[in-house]
Each structure stands twice: as C-alpha cells, then as structure tokens.
Amino acid sequence: ATATAYTNIGSVMQAMGNNMGALEMYSQGLVIREKLFGNEHPDTAESYNTIGLLMQAMGNNVGALEMLNRGLAINEKVYTPVSHLRVRRT
C-alpha cells in the first residue's frame, strides 16, 4: 500500500508539472517494491515502466530506455508464453 501511495503522489506531481518530485516519489515506490517483492516481480516491473515513461517525458530517452528495458526483462521472465498478453501491453 505504501508503494502504491508513493506512485499515486508521483502521478499527481507529474500532472502538476513537478517531474523531479514525481521521479522522487516513483523511485521511493520502486525501492519499496524491490524490498517487498524482489527484482523479478510484475509490480517491480511496473515501477520501472512508470519511471521510464516519466524519464521519456523529461527528455531523458537514454534513461527511459534503460528503465523500460528493465521492466520488459522482468515481465518476460515472469510471464509464460500463454500469458504474453500482459507483456505485450508494457
């Protein structure tokens, strides 16, 4: 719940134009998810994807690509070929 709260606050901050604040909140959510779930969990992948999209919006395409690739790698490990519909959405 705490990781989700950080992510939600980050989303509002991003909508208000405070991208650096949003990045801090999203990063806090990621740290919590890594501690709770580890590095190979769909929620952790979602945090990487959220940070990646924010970085892209901030013009940091190299950082965005790194984060999005991390999220994709996790999803590819976690989901079986039968459940690739979720992977295709990320």
XYZ file of all heavy atoms in Angstrom:
683
model
N 0.823 -1.194 0.000
C 0.000 0.000 0.000
C 0.867 1.257 0.000
O 0.510 2.243 -0.630
C -0.939 -0.011 1.188
N 1.978 1.218 0.718
C 2.839 2.400 0.769
C 3.462 2.681 -0.591
O 3.534 3.835 -1.018
C 3.937 2.216 1.838
O 3.313 1.917 3.090
C 4.777 3.471 1.981
N 3.903 1.641 -1.282
C 4.494 1.835 -2.611
C 3.470 2.430 -3.562
O 3.795 3.329 -4.346
C 5.027 0.509 -3.150
N 2.241 1.962 -3.479
C 1.175 2.496 -4.327
C 0.906 3.954 -3.983
O 0.686 4.777 -4.880
C -0.102 1.653 -4.180
O 0.189 0.316 -4.563
C -1.231 2.185 -5.031
N 0.932 4.293 -2.711
C 0.722 5.681 -2.301
C 1.807 6.586 -2.878
O 1.504 7.674 -3.394
C 0.686 5.779 -0.773
N 3.063 6.149 -2.806
C 4.141 6.941 -3.404
C 3.913 7.123 -4.908
O 4.098 8.214 -5.445
C 5.503 6.277 -3.171
C 6.139 6.604 -1.843
C 6.327 5.613 -0.892
C 6.569 7.889 -1.547
C 6.928 5.893 0.332
C 7.162 8.185 -0.336
C 7.345 7.185 0.602
O 7.935 7.472 1.804
N 3.515 6.053 -5.570
C 3.277 6.130 -7.008
C 2.117 7.068 -7.315
O 2.182 7.865 -8.265
C 3.008 4.726 -7.582
O 4.160 3.913 -7.322
C 2.759 4.769 -9.075
N 1.063 7.007 -6.532
C -0.081 7.894 -6.755
C 0.284 9.354 -6.537
O -0.124 10.229 -7.317
C -1.246 7.494 -5.840
C -1.852 6.172 -6.228
O -1.669 5.683 -7.333
N -2.572 5.569 -5.301
N 1.057 9.632 -5.496
C 1.521 11.001 -5.258
C 2.393 11.463 -6.415
O 2.280 12.584 -6.898
C 2.263 11.099 -3.908
C 1.276 10.886 -2.760
C 2.983 12.448 -3.779
C 1.936 10.689 -1.408
N 3.264 10.567 -6.883
C 4.105 10.899 -8.034
C 3.286 11.224 -9.261
O 3.603 12.157 -10.005
N 2.228 10.489 -9.473
C 1.362 10.735 -10.625
C 0.728 12.122 -10.560
O 0.669 12.842 -11.556
C 0.285 9.650 -10.685
O -0.570 9.868 -11.774
N 0.276 12.502 -9.380
C -0.311 13.835 -9.211
C 0.758 14.908 -9.419
O 0.518 15.924 -10.087
C -0.986 13.966 -7.828
C -1.430 15.395 -7.574
C -2.166 13.009 -7.722
N 1.934 14.689 -8.858
C 3.024 15.655 -9.027
C 3.379 15.807 -10.506
O 3.601 16.926 -10.978
C 4.247 15.237 -8.214
C 4.014 15.298 -6.719
S 5.448 14.731 -5.788
C 6.136 16.318 -5.352
N 3.411 14.689 -11.226
C 3.704 14.745 -12.660
C 2.621 15.545 -13.383
O 2.926 16.378 -14.234
C 3.817 13.337 -13.235
C 4.214 13.327 -14.697
C 4.402 11.915 -15.244
O 4.264 10.930 -14.532
N 4.717 11.827 -16.515
N 1.366 15.319 -13.041
C 0.266 16.051 -13.669
C 0.353 17.545 -13.382
O -0.077 18.362 -14.193
C -1.072 15.491 -13.175
N 0.941 17.902 -12.241
C 1.110 19.305 -11.875
C 2.361 19.924 -12.483
O 2.628 21.108 -12.293
C 1.159 19.435 -10.350
C -0.138 19.035 -9.668
S -0.014 18.981 -7.857
C 0.334 20.692 -7.478
N 3.138 19.108 -13.198
C 4.349 19.608 -13.836
C 5.601 19.498 -12.990
O 6.655 19.991 -13.376
N 5.499 18.865 -11.836
C 6.655 18.695 -10.949
C 7.292 17.336 -11.231
O 7.135 16.392 -10.459
C 6.220 18.816 -9.488
C 7.381 18.721 -8.516
O 8.521 18.468 -8.904
N 7.096 18.913 -7.242
N 8.011 17.246 -12.344
C 8.588 15.970 -12.765
C 9.675 15.466 -11.829
O 9.789 14.265 -11.602
C 9.113 16.066 -14.189
C 7.996 16.150 -15.197
O 6.861 15.748 -14.928
N 8.288 16.682 -16.371
N 10.462 16.365 -11.272
C 11.517 15.914 -10.353
C 10.908 15.352 -9.071
O 11.377 14.336 -8.552
C 12.482 17.063 -10.033
C 13.334 17.481 -11.231
S 14.264 16.116 -11.989
C 15.396 15.701 -10.690
N 9.871 15.979 -8.572
C 9.174 15.449 -7.408
C 8.533 14.104 -7.713
O 8.560 13.181 -6.895
N 7.951 14.011 -8.913
C 7.334 12.754 -9.339
C 8.374 11.650 -9.418
O 8.135 10.526 -8.961
C 6.646 12.930 -10.688
N 9.539 11.965 -9.967
C 10.611 10.969 -10.071
C 11.031 10.473 -8.693
O 11.234 9.277 -8.493
C 11.803 11.554 -10.827
C 12.985 10.623 -11.058
C 12.563 9.388 -11.853
C 14.099 11.375 -11.788
N 11.097 11.392 -7.733
C 11.456 11.004 -6.367
C 10.404 10.063 -5.779
O 10.737 9.048 -5.156
C 11.588 12.252 -5.494
C 12.051 11.957 -4.090
C 12.238 13.222 -3.268
O 12.608 14.263 -3.827
O 12.005 13.143 -2.048
N 9.137 10.376 -5.981
C 8.062 9.531 -5.446
C 8.037 8.163 -6.132
O 7.916 7.127 -5.467
C 6.698 10.212 -5.620
C 6.500 11.465 -4.800
S 6.489 11.142 -3.015
C 8.052 11.856 -2.541
N 8.155 8.158 -7.461
C 8.180 6.887 -8.195
C 9.367 6.033 -7.756
O 9.253 4.812 -7.626
C 8.261 7.128 -9.700
C 7.038 7.736 -10.347
C 7.166 8.444 -11.530
C 5.762 7.595 -9.814
C 6.058 8.989 -12.168
C 4.654 8.148 -10.438
C 4.808 8.848 -11.614
O 3.709 9.388 -12.238
N 10.493 6.685 -7.522
C 11.693 5.955 -7.094
C 11.512 5.357 -5.706
O 11.966 4.235 -5.437
C 12.914 6.877 -7.128
O 13.176 7.291 -8.459
N 10.851 6.078 -4.813
C 10.562 5.541 -3.483
C 9.670 4.306 -3.590
O 9.874 3.310 -2.899
C 9.885 6.599 -2.602
C 10.818 7.669 -2.122
C 11.860 7.137 -1.152
O 11.618 6.202 -0.380
N 13.039 7.724 -1.179
N 8.672 4.389 -4.465
C 7.805 3.235 -4.691
C 8.577 2.039 -5.206
O 8.344 0.900 -4.783
N 9.522 2.282 -6.118
C 10.348 1.207 -6.658
C 11.191 0.556 -5.561
O 11.271 -0.669 -5.480
C 11.249 1.733 -7.784
C 12.289 0.755 -8.320
C 11.628 -0.484 -8.925
C 13.181 1.451 -9.351
N 11.804 1.359 -4.724
C 12.638 0.823 -3.641
C 11.809 -0.090 -2.740
O 12.243 -1.191 -2.369
C 13.280 1.969 -2.821
C 13.881 1.464 -1.523
C 14.332 2.688 -3.655
N 10.615 0.349 -2.401
C 9.750 -0.462 -1.537
C 9.372 -1.764 -2.240
O 9.419 -2.841 -1.638
C 8.493 0.335 -1.138
C 8.882 1.481 -0.208
C 7.453 -0.582 -0.476
C 7.789 2.510 0.006
N 9.002 -1.680 -3.502
C 8.610 -2.890 -4.234
C 9.771 -3.862 -4.379
O 9.581 -5.076 -4.297
C 8.018 -2.515 -5.586
C 6.629 -1.938 -5.440
C 6.005 -1.582 -6.753
N 4.613 -1.253 -6.532
C 3.981 -0.265 -7.127
N 4.604 0.489 -8.022
N 2.713 -0.022 -6.874
N 10.979 -3.343 -4.597
C 12.138 -4.237 -4.683
C 12.370 -4.956 -3.346
O 12.704 -6.140 -3.330
C 13.382 -3.460 -5.096
C 13.395 -3.088 -6.557
C 14.611 -2.280 -6.952
O 15.139 -1.507 -6.134
O 15.026 -2.404 -8.113
N 12.177 -4.238 -2.246
C 12.366 -4.854 -0.927
C 11.279 -5.880 -0.635
O 11.551 -6.935 -0.065
C 12.382 -3.783 0.160
C 13.652 -2.971 0.183
C 13.631 -1.927 1.279
C 14.890 -1.088 1.239
N 14.859 -0.013 2.237
N 10.045 -5.560 -1.000
C 8.922 -6.461 -0.715
C 8.883 -7.671 -1.636
O 8.664 -8.795 -1.187
C 7.592 -5.710 -0.853
C 7.209 -4.762 0.252
C 5.923 -4.012 -0.114
C 7.015 -5.510 1.562
N 9.068 -7.424 -2.930
C 8.820 -8.459 -3.939
C 10.069 -8.986 -4.629
O 10.019 -10.005 -5.290
C 7.868 -7.935 -5.017
C 6.572 -7.400 -4.486
C 6.191 -6.100 -4.743
C 5.731 -8.198 -3.732
C 4.990 -5.600 -4.264
C 4.529 -7.709 -3.243
C 4.155 -6.402 -3.510
N 11.168 -8.258 -4.548
C 12.378 -8.650 -5.257
C 12.436 -8.016 -6.641
O 11.574 -7.224 -7.024
N 13.460 -8.397 -7.378
C 13.727 -7.782 -8.683
C 13.022 -8.462 -9.843
O 13.174 -8.018 -10.983
C 15.239 -7.768 -8.954
C 15.968 -6.845 -8.006
O 15.455 -5.807 -7.619
N 17.165 -7.233 -7.610
N 12.295 -9.524 -9.579
C 11.627 -10.246 -10.664
C 10.140 -10.415 -10.366
O 9.611 -11.520 -10.389
C 12.312 -11.586 -10.907
C 13.720 -11.433 -11.427
C 14.364 -12.746 -11.788
O 13.705 -13.793 -11.671
O 15.533 -12.727 -12.189
N 9.472 -9.310 -10.122
C 8.043 -9.321 -9.802
C 7.323 -8.315 -10.700
O 7.878 -7.259 -11.014
C 7.845 -8.965 -8.330
C 6.453 -9.183 -7.845
N 5.458 -8.252 -8.020
C 5.896 -10.232 -7.200
C 4.335 -8.710 -7.502
N 4.577 -9.914 -6.996
N 6.113 -8.624 -11.131
C 5.374 -7.714 -12.013
C 5.199 -6.304 -11.445
O 5.243 -5.327 -12.199
C 4.017 -8.395 -12.189
C 4.263 -9.830 -11.916
C 5.371 -9.877 -10.903
N 5.022 -6.179 -10.127
C 4.873 -4.843 -9.541
C 6.168 -4.044 -9.642
O 6.147 -2.827 -9.848
C 4.427 -4.937 -8.084
C 2.980 -5.369 -7.946
O 2.284 -5.502 -8.983
O 2.536 -5.589 -6.810
N 7.290 -4.732 -9.498
C 8.585 -4.073 -9.667
C 8.745 -3.628 -11.117
O 9.187 -2.503 -11.385
C 9.724 -5.015 -9.254
O 9.495 -5.462 -7.907
C 11.078 -4.333 -9.328
N 8.358 -4.489 -12.049
C 8.414 -4.132 -13.474
C 7.558 -2.914 -13.762
O 7.956 -2.024 -14.524
C 7.952 -5.313 -14.332
N 6.398 -2.851 -13.140
C 5.502 -1.708 -13.353
C 6.151 -0.404 -12.875
O 6.021 0.636 -13.519
C 4.188 -1.938 -12.617
C 3.146 -0.880 -12.901
C 1.809 -1.195 -12.261
O 1.476 -2.382 -12.121
O 1.113 -0.243 -11.894
N 6.867 -0.475 -11.757
C 7.575 0.713 -11.273
C 8.643 1.157 -12.259
O 8.794 2.350 -12.531
C 8.210 0.442 -9.902
O 7.235 0.413 -8.897
N 9.410 0.201 -12.789
C 10.413 0.554 -13.799
C 9.761 1.207 -15.016
O 10.266 2.196 -15.555
C 11.198 -0.686 -14.240
C 12.311 -1.081 -13.302
C 12.307 -2.320 -12.668
C 13.379 -0.226 -13.047
C 13.329 -2.701 -11.813
C 14.403 -0.595 -12.191
C 14.372 -1.828 -11.580
O 15.389 -2.187 -10.723
N 8.639 0.667 -15.440
C 7.955 1.233 -16.607
C 7.449 2.644 -16.335
O 7.560 3.528 -17.190
C 6.804 0.325 -17.034
C 7.288 -0.961 -17.650
O 8.368 -1.033 -18.208
N 6.484 -2.004 -17.536
N 6.905 2.856 -15.150
C 6.404 4.187 -14.789
C 7.539 5.208 -14.784
O 7.399 6.311 -15.322
C 5.724 4.134 -13.404
O 4.629 3.211 -13.466
C 5.211 5.495 -12.987
N 8.660 4.835 -14.206
C 9.823 5.732 -14.184
C 10.332 5.963 -15.599
O 10.682 7.093 -15.970
C 10.931 5.170 -13.271
C 10.467 5.207 -11.807
C 12.241 5.940 -13.445
C 11.362 4.465 -10.838
N 10.351 4.919 -16.403
C 10.807 5.064 -17.787
C 9.962 6.031 -18.580
O 10.487 6.873 -19.326
N 8.661 5.952 -18.431
C 7.782 6.865 -19.164
C 7.952 8.307 -18.698
O 7.917 9.239 -19.497
C 6.323 6.418 -19.028
C 5.997 5.104 -19.730
C 4.562 4.675 -19.413
C 6.213 5.212 -21.235
N 8.158 8.489 -17.392
C 8.429 9.837 -16.885
C 9.738 10.369 -17.445
O 9.811 11.521 -17.872
C 8.461 9.848 -15.356
C 8.877 11.178 -14.722
C 7.887 12.293 -15.079
C 9.008 11.030 -13.220
N 10.762 9.527 -17.459
C 12.061 9.966 -17.993
C 11.939 10.357 -19.462
O 12.542 11.344 -19.898
C 13.114 8.876 -17.796
C 13.465 8.643 -16.355
S 14.635 7.292 -16.157
C 16.028 8.200 -15.517
N 11.142 9.613 -20.204
C 10.916 9.964 -21.603
C 10.253 11.334 -21.697
O 10.655 12.170 -22.505
C 10.050 8.912 -22.284
C 9.782 9.238 -23.748
C 8.784 8.289 -24.369
O 7.944 7.711 -23.692
N 8.881 8.132 -25.674
N 9.254 11.582 -20.862
C 8.562 12.874 -20.857
C 9.503 14.012 -20.475
O 9.321 15.149 -20.924
C 7.373 12.826 -19.899
N 10.530 13.695 -19.684
C 11.513 14.692 -19.264
C 12.621 14.880 -20.298
O 13.503 15.704 -20.115
C 12.112 14.284 -17.914
C 11.114 14.285 -16.778
S 11.764 13.563 -15.241
C 12.979 14.786 -14.765
N 12.581 14.087 -21.367
C 13.582 14.205 -22.414
C 14.809 13.346 -22.204
O 15.770 13.440 -22.961
N 14.797 12.497 -21.201
C 15.927 11.605 -20.928
C 15.638 10.258 -21.585
O 15.266 9.289 -20.921
C 16.131 11.452 -19.420
C 17.302 10.567 -19.069
O 17.922 9.948 -19.932
N 17.618 10.488 -17.791
N 15.808 10.199 -22.883
C 15.472 8.989 -23.627
C 16.389 7.820 -23.317
O 15.945 6.671 -23.317
C 15.451 9.279 -25.128
C 14.304 10.192 -25.500
O 13.230 10.134 -24.908
N 14.523 11.056 -26.475
N 17.643 8.086 -23.025
C 18.575 7.010 -22.690
C 18.160 6.363 -21.366
O 18.065 5.140 -21.254
C 20.029 7.535 -22.628
C 20.975 6.473 -22.092
C 20.482 8.006 -24.006
N 17.879 7.183 -20.365
C 17.424 6.663 -19.084
C 16.086 5.957 -19.208
O 15.853 4.925 -18.582
N 15.199 6.538 -20.021
C 13.883 5.931 -20.243
C 14.024 4.539 -20.837
O 13.374 3.592 -20.390
C 13.041 6.821 -21.155
N 14.851 4.421 -21.836
C 15.049 3.133 -22.489
C 15.603 2.094 -21.521
O 15.163 0.941 -21.501
C 15.975 3.286 -23.702
C 16.109 2.085 -24.616
C 14.750 1.669 -25.179
C 17.072 2.409 -25.750
N 16.520 2.504 -20.657
C 17.089 1.592 -19.660
C 15.999 1.087 -18.710
O 15.891 -0.114 -18.437
C 18.187 2.293 -18.865
C 18.815 1.418 -17.810
C 19.874 2.133 -16.989
O 20.426 3.150 -17.438
O 20.132 1.662 -15.870
N 15.173 2.003 -18.204
C 14.112 1.611 -17.279
C 13.067 0.725 -17.955
O 12.626 -0.286 -17.396
C 13.412 2.854 -16.700
C 14.280 3.708 -15.805
S 14.707 2.888 -14.257
C 16.460 2.683 -14.480
N 12.655 1.101 -19.163
C 11.651 0.319 -19.876
C 12.168 -1.070 -20.228
O 11.421 -2.056 -20.156
C 11.185 1.073 -21.125
C 10.411 2.364 -20.840
C 10.215 3.156 -22.121
C 9.083 2.080 -20.166
N 13.431 -1.170 -20.584
C 14.016 -2.486 -20.862
C 14.088 -3.348 -19.604
O 13.896 -4.561 -19.678
C 15.394 -2.344 -21.501
C 15.313 -2.103 -22.984
O 14.437 -2.619 -23.665
N 16.224 -1.295 -23.512
N 14.355 -2.733 -18.453
C 14.354 -3.492 -17.192
C 12.955 -4.052 -16.918
O 12.806 -5.211 -16.529
C 14.788 -2.613 -16.028
C 16.265 -2.352 -15.969
C 16.616 -1.598 -14.709
N 18.001 -1.173 -14.732
C 18.587 -0.503 -13.756
N 17.888 -0.180 -12.680
N 19.839 -0.152 -13.848
N 11.947 -3.209 -17.104
C 10.578 -3.659 -16.896
C 10.202 -4.788 -17.831
O 9.588 -5.780 -17.422
N 10.579 -4.657 -19.089
C 10.282 -5.686 -20.075
C 10.994 -6.992 -19.731
O 10.400 -8.068 -19.800
C 10.686 -5.226 -21.474
C 10.500 -6.249 -22.595
C 9.031 -6.659 -22.723
C 11.028 -5.683 -23.906
N 12.249 -6.911 -19.334
C 13.010 -8.121 -18.987
C 12.347 -8.874 -17.837
O 12.271 -10.109 -17.858
C 14.450 -7.754 -18.633
N 11.863 -8.134 -16.837
C 11.178 -8.782 -15.719
C 9.916 -9.467 -16.214
O 9.658 -10.632 -15.896
C 10.853 -7.761 -14.615
C 12.130 -7.244 -13.966
C 9.917 -8.390 -13.569
C 11.947 -6.033 -13.081
N 9.121 -8.755 -16.997
C 7.869 -9.336 -17.489
C 8.116 -10.563 -18.358
O 7.359 -11.529 -18.296
C 7.061 -8.288 -18.254
C 6.343 -7.341 -17.324
O 5.962 -7.705 -16.225
N 6.171 -6.109 -17.764
N 9.165 -10.546 -19.139
C 9.476 -11.705 -19.982
C 9.857 -12.920 -19.127
O 9.568 -14.056 -19.499
C 10.586 -11.374 -20.970
C 10.113 -10.482 -22.099
C 11.214 -10.099 -23.075
O 12.410 -10.097 -22.699
O 10.864 -9.805 -24.226
N 10.512 -12.685 -17.983
C 10.875 -13.791 -17.091
C 9.665 -14.319 -16.323
O 9.549 -15.512 -16.082
C 11.929 -13.330 -16.078
C 13.304 -13.158 -16.653
C 14.273 -12.715 -15.580
C 15.646 -12.476 -16.159
N 16.590 -12.001 -15.132
N 8.802 -13.410 -15.914
C 7.694 -13.762 -15.029
C 6.558 -14.448 -15.760
O 5.978 -15.403 -15.256
C 7.174 -12.496 -14.307
C 5.874 -12.769 -13.577
C 8.227 -11.973 -13.344
N 6.234 -13.955 -16.934
C 5.053 -14.461 -17.625
C 5.413 -15.564 -18.610
O 6.364 -15.451 -19.371
C 4.323 -13.321 -18.343
C 3.724 -12.350 -17.368
C 4.304 -11.110 -17.143
C 2.596 -12.690 -16.632
C 3.761 -10.225 -16.238
C 2.054 -11.819 -15.719
C 2.637 -10.579 -15.522
O 2.099 -9.718 -14.611
N 4.629 -16.596 -18.603
C 4.801 -17.706 -19.533
C 4.297 -17.299 -20.907
O 3.572 -16.304 -21.030
C 4.014 -18.935 -19.045
O 2.627 -18.610 -19.074
C 4.436 -19.347 -17.651
N 4.624 -18.044 -21.950
C 4.118 -17.706 -23.283
C 2.592 -17.603 -23.342
O 2.057 -16.809 -24.100
C 4.622 -18.849 -24.155
C 5.860 -19.322 -23.471
C 5.563 -19.153 -21.988
N 1.896 -18.336 -22.514
C 0.433 -18.283 -22.501
C -0.059 -16.927 -22.007
O -1.081 -16.431 -22.449
C -0.134 -19.418 -21.610
C -1.628 -19.298 -21.457
C 0.263 -20.772 -22.178
N 0.682 -16.302 -21.126
C 0.232 -15.037 -20.572
C 0.934 -13.828 -21.183
O 1.006 -12.776 -20.585
C 0.453 -15.036 -19.045
O 1.838 -15.128 -18.766
N 1.429 -13.967 -22.396
C 2.152 -12.875 -23.041
C 1.290 -11.673 -23.367
O 1.798 -10.636 -23.737
C 2.869 -13.361 -24.303
C 4.266 -13.799 -24.043
N 5.286 -12.941 -23.753
C 4.812 -15.036 -23.992
C 6.395 -13.616 -23.558
N 6.133 -14.900 -23.683
N -0.011 -11.774 -23.241
C -0.848 -10.602 -23.459
C -0.444 -9.478 -22.531
O -0.420 -8.321 -22.914
C -2.328 -10.953 -23.273
C -2.920 -11.863 -24.327
C -4.375 -12.181 -23.974
C -2.855 -11.226 -25.702
N -0.094 -9.785 -21.301
C 0.341 -8.760 -20.350
C 1.669 -8.172 -20.801
O 1.882 -6.976 -20.721
C 0.471 -9.358 -18.960
C 1.170 -8.443 -18.002
C 0.369 -8.054 -16.839
N 1.168 -7.131 -16.024
C 0.674 -6.475 -15.042
N -0.565 -6.591 -14.715
N 1.454 -5.674 -14.343
N 2.594 -8.976 -21.278
C 3.888 -8.492 -21.727
C 3.717 -7.558 -22.913
O 4.362 -6.526 -23.022
C 4.844 -9.651 -22.069
C 6.131 -9.146 -22.683
C 5.135 -10.481 -20.840
N 2.815 -7.874 -23.813
C 2.601 -7.030 -24.986
C 2.090 -5.649 -24.620
O 2.317 -4.700 -25.329
C 1.607 -7.712 -25.941
C 2.194 -8.896 -26.643
C 1.224 -9.440 -27.638
N 1.671 -10.749 -28.074
C 0.891 -11.719 -28.442
N -0.414 -11.560 -28.446
N 1.386 -12.875 -28.818
N 1.388 -5.525 -23.496
C 0.851 -4.236 -23.092
C 1.903 -3.307 -22.519
O 1.723 -2.111 -22.477
C -0.249 -4.418 -22.048
C -1.486 -5.029 -22.583
C -2.604 -5.052 -21.581
N -2.134 -5.298 -20.227
C -2.800 -4.945 -19.146
N -3.956 -4.357 -19.252
N -2.333 -5.213 -17.951
N 3.036 -3.836 -22.058
C 4.025 -2.999 -21.387
C 4.936 -2.332 -22.375
O 5.056 -2.647 -23.499
C 4.867 -3.809 -20.389
O 5.516 -4.868 -21.085
C 4.022 -4.313 -19.258
